[in-house]
Amino acid sequence: MASLSEKDSKVMGRPQSSEQPVDGSTSEEVVTQESFSRRFFYLKWYFTSNEGWLGDYDYLYLITPNIWPLNRKYKGYKAPFYGLSDDVPILLTIILGLQHALCMIGSIVSPPLAIAGGAFYLDSATTQYLVSAAFITTGIATALQVTRVHITKTPFFIGTGLLSVVGPTFDILPIAFNYTAMRYGNGTCPTADDGTPQPCPDAWGAILGSMLCTVWVQILMSFVPPKTLNRIFPKIVTGSLLLLVGVYLISNGMQNWGGSSNCHGGQGFYALCPDVSAPKPLPWGDPKLIGLGFTVFISIVVVEQFGSPLMKSASVIIGLFVGCLVSGLTGYWSLSNIQAAPAATFLWVHTFHLSVDGALILPLLIMFICEAVSCMPDILATAEISDVDIEGTEFNSRVQGGILCDGVGSLISALGTGPPMVSQAGNNGVIVITGCASRRAGWCAAAFLILMGIFGKFGAVFGSMPPSILGGMQVILYSTIAVAGLRVLGLVRYTRRNRFILTVSLGIGFLDIVQPDWFGQILTYSGENVALAGFEQGINLIVETPFIIAAVIGIFLNLSLPRDASQMDDRLRDQSGHAVLGKEE
């Protein structure tokens, strides 16, 4: 492709640097006019030429299945690479923008669906709204992340300036589950006469209000140098956090796979799964329900094995489509909620009574502190595959902007009644497969996500699907979180000191998972001191939330335990094969 500057020079006849203005204009005015003219002719070329629309990209590569002999042409094929600010053909921008949006759908819809159905027992209309709100706030936060807004008169930014997406964090789920269990237990959330939990939107309002008070700790942490954060929150802490969150949520996903967490041992309205009003209610764990979830699970596996590059990066949504198709054809899905959903919706169509619950403050503070650190490996991974510096001042500035964008995104999302946000690396596979790290694809993806949220019927589809379909997808997604934790822990040097920190922190964390009520009888104050009761409830919430108590223990031990100078576990071999002691770097 001929360079744009050559085309512009011929068309515009712009003066060379040695020429002087002849019409009395200043040099600054000439530069401004020239910049405007170049921009105009560039846009004209971009939107009116075949090269601007199609380029020379091999689009057939994106849709070729990984099946012999169809894949012979692309054996060992490497797609051309587009950098952050490179000119990407318009058609490719649209295709890849949609692809990045599709690969995020599973991680966007899962938290609000899990919260609405498994924690607050919200009705279908409110559940659908929360899904739509999550799409809209995710699109806004992702656009902010990709743009990288400079804060005037400071060296700080909001956003990474990379094709790194921002989506709802799964870390809020354990807090929400334990918090609502506490509220249903003490009677502040309503229950029917037979003990069946009733919708408790005020509990979500309490979480939103408490988020607005605590998210500022993450915003402030964005101005702390990344090296300092890594020293206080090393990989041994962040890896444990991800592993415990993943393992904890897998059990919740399996509850949905079996029919729904609400009907596992439920009574009354939830005596059968997903409830007695469903088209074909069945007991929890019925083979037919397990089979529905398995259609999603196995579809994702098959697509990953044999699908084309586009299909692989959208394997989750394809698995959901197959599961929904099977469940619809076999009569397990009612379309009444979709038909009743509005054609368009937006933020604040449903509102919640905001309040601040003291029991939530400490857990949410710890969660936002952990979020500020856990996003750093994802930003590093995205920077590495985007072919930009992964160390030095520029990279540290991107990390700072990413942490701040997560905090601002969570603030915007809470104001819009959505869940907290965090940077994610789930779209990195799309960048690797397609060779496109251009920010234009990120802006296009953000636009698609906002449109998906505004289109009310789209959110209604996810809010109406059988829980078994959702569970089959969740087990895959939640397992990727646990695997990400293992990957981070694989970077830890397994000295005696580090093994001890992991043993203690993971031991307590896994204890919370396998026996969640072990701490329930220790702090049981029932007096009239409201402040003390709220404080004890906050302590209980911290101890009974696996990743939070593990993070607290891990940070304390990492800062307090002395380092062993001999490092007996760090062994090297000399040329004779004898073990020699190495020093920790």
Side-chain angles (χ1 to χ4, degrees):
M1 181 180 75
S3 66
L4 184 63
S5 58
E6 293 175 359
K7 295 180 181 179
D8 290 347
S9 297
K10 294 177 182 178
V11 176
M12 295 163 52
R14 60 183 174 89
Q16 303 300 317
S17 57
S18 59
E19 297 180 11
Q20 298 295 326
V22 294
D23 57 354
S25 302
T26 64
S27 59
E28 290 81 2
E29 291 174 341
V30 171
V31 170
T32 301
Q33 294 171 1
E34 181 178 331
S35 176
F36 177 79
S37 298
R38 285 174 58 83
R39 187 65 178 170
F40 172 78
F41 282 103
Y42 167 75
L43 293 175
K44 180 181 178 181
W45 166 82
Y46 190 57
F47 286 101
T48 59
S49 67
N50 287 336
E51 194 169 356
W53 274 94
L54 301 177
D56 56 358
Y57 194 88
D58 189 351
Y59 293 91
L60 186 61
Y61 160 72
L62 294 176
I63 59 174
T64 301
N66 187 28
I67 302 175
W68 189 89
L70 299 177
N71 61 352
R72 287 187 302 175
K73 178 181 177 181
Y74 297 104
K75 187 176 182 180
Y77 175 79
K78 189 175 182 180
F81 181 76
Y82 293 95
L84 295 180
S85 302
D86 289 348
D87 292 333
V88 183
I90 295 175
L91 179 60
L92 185 62
T93 300
I94 295 174
I95 292 175
L96 297 185
L98 178 60
Q99 197 66 18
H100 282 281
L102 290 176
C103 80
M104 293 178 62
I105 285 179
S107 59
I108 293 174
V109 303
S110 193
L113 288 177
I115 287 173
F120 305 108
Y121 298 88
L122 302 178
D123 58 66
S124 59
T126 308
T127 300
Q128 295 163 14
Y129 164 75
L130 285 181
V131 172
S132 296
F135 273 108
I136 295 173
T137 53
T138 296
I140 295 172
T142 296
L144 193 62
Q145 179 85 298
V146 174
T147 303
R148 196 182 185 213
V149 179
H150 179 239
I151 302 177
T152 306
K153 297 182 180 181
T154 71
F156 302 112
F157 293 83
I158 303 176
T160 62
L162 303 171
L163 211 176
S164 52
V165 296
V166 180
T169 176
F170 290 91
D171 294 347
I172 189 64
L173 299 186
I175 296 176
F177 291 144
N178 289 329
Y179 176 64
T180 52
M182 179 186 72
R183 288 194 54 157
Y184 280 112
N186 61 25
T188 54
C189 277
T191 57
D193 294 338
D194 59 1
T196 302
Q198 299 296 303
C200 190
D202 286 350
W204 180 237
I207 290 181
L208 292 175
S210 302
M211 280 170 50
L212 292 173
C213 296
T214 54
V215 69
W216 299 98
V217 68
Q218 183 174 1
I219 294 176
L220 293 175
M221 284 182 66
S222 68
F223 303 107
V224 178
K227 288 185 178 180
T228 303
L229 293 179
N230 277 324
R231 190 179 308 117
I232 301 174
F233 307 95
K235 294 181 178 66
I236 198 171
V237 173
T238 56
S240 302
L241 182 153
L242 291 172
L243 176 60
L244 288 169
V245 169
V247 173
Y248 176 87
L249 293 178
I250 287 172
S251 63
N252 177 261
M254 193 59 229
Q255 291 278 355
N256 285 327
W257 191 336
S260 174
S261 58
N262 303 338
C263 60
H264 193 185
Q267 300 176 358
F269 185 67
Y270 294 110
L272 296 175
C273 295
D275 54 60
V276 295
S277 66
K280 289 187 176 181
L282 294 168
W284 190 92
D286 188 277
K288 295 178 181 179
L289 297 178
I290 298 297
L292 285 179
F294 189 73
T295 60
V296 179
F297 191 92
I298 195 62
S299 296
I300 296 174
V301 174
V302 171
V303 170
E304 285 290 337
Q305 179 66 30
F306 301 108
S308 67
L310 282 182
M311 293 177 66
K312 287 182 178 180
S313 53
S315 59
V316 170
I317 194 65
I318 293 174
L320 284 177
F321 173 78
V322 173
C324 290
L325 181 64
V326 172
S327 63
L329 293 176
T330 52
Y332 288 91
W333 200 1
S334 173
L335 300 179
S336 58
N337 289 332
I338 300 177
Q339 294 169 350
T345 187
F346 199 68
L347 304 178
W348 308 296
V349 169
H350 288 267
T351 57
F352 302 87
H353 177 70
L354 295 181
S355 62
V356 178
D357 193 330
L360 286 166
I361 298 302
L362 283 176
L364 287 176
L365 281 174
I366 296 172
M367 185 198 75
F368 282 120
I369 290 172
C370 294
E371 293 300 307
V373 181
S374 64
C375 71
M376 295 168 65
D378 291 336
I379 297 173
L380 172 62
T382 305
E384 187 173 16
I385 64 175
S386 300
D387 197 28
V388 299
D389 292 338
I390 57 174
E391 57 184 11
T393 303
E394 181 69 15
F395 174 70
N396 289 336
S397 176
R398 294 188 188 278
V399 172
Q400 173 272 313
I403 297 174
L404 182 55
C405 183
D406 286 356
V408 173
S410 295
L411 178 64
I412 294 173
S413 184
L415 291 172
T417 67
M421 297 285 163
V422 69
S423 295
Q424 299 181 0
N427 68 318
N428 282 355
V430 181
I431 299 176
V432 172
I433 292 174
T434 62
C436 180
S438 172
R439 295 191 298 166
R440 297 183 184 185
W443 289 317
C444 190
F448 275 119
L449 291 172
I450 293 174
L451 289 176
M452 290 175 185
I454 293 175
F455 185 53
K457 301 287 186 183
F458 191 77
V461 170
F462 296 101
S464 303
M465 68 175 56
S468 295
I469 302 299
L470 178 66
M473 174 200 71
Q474 287 177 325
V475 169
I476 288 279
L477 284 180
Y478 296 159
S479 296
T480 63
I481 300 174
V483 171
L486 292 174
R487 180 179 64 86
V488 174
L489 290 177
L491 303 175
V492 174
R493 303 182 68 183
Y494 278 81
T495 62
R496 178 181 178 84
R497 176 181 182 273
N498 287 344
R499 287 205 307 270
F500 179 77
I501 294 174
L502 278 176
T503 299
V504 177
S505 57
L506 288 180
I508 297 297
F510 284 129
L511 177 63
D512 269 347
I513 295 174
V514 299
Q515 196 63 43
D517 58 350
W518 70 275
F519 198 74
Q521 302 299 319
I522 296 179
L523 296 180
T524 56
Y525 175 76
S526 58
E528 297 180 357
N529 190 327
V530 178
L532 179 58
F535 177 76
E536 288 196 356
Q537 289 174 354
I539 296 297
N540 284 330
L541 201 55
I542 289 175
V543 175
E544 294 174 2
T545 305
F547 82 91
I548 290 184
I549 185 61
V552 171
I553 293 174
I555 292 170
F556 172 77
L557 292 178
N558 181 66
L559 294 177
S560 60
L561 286 180
R563 297 185 181 275
D564 184 1
S566 65
Q567 296 296 343
M568 293 296 294
D569 299 282
D570 187 16
R571 297 191 175 188
L572 303 175
R573 299 281 176 178
D574 60 16
Q575 294 181 350
S576 303
H578 297 98
V580 296
L581 295 182
K583 294 182 179 180
E584 183 177 8
E585 298 177 358

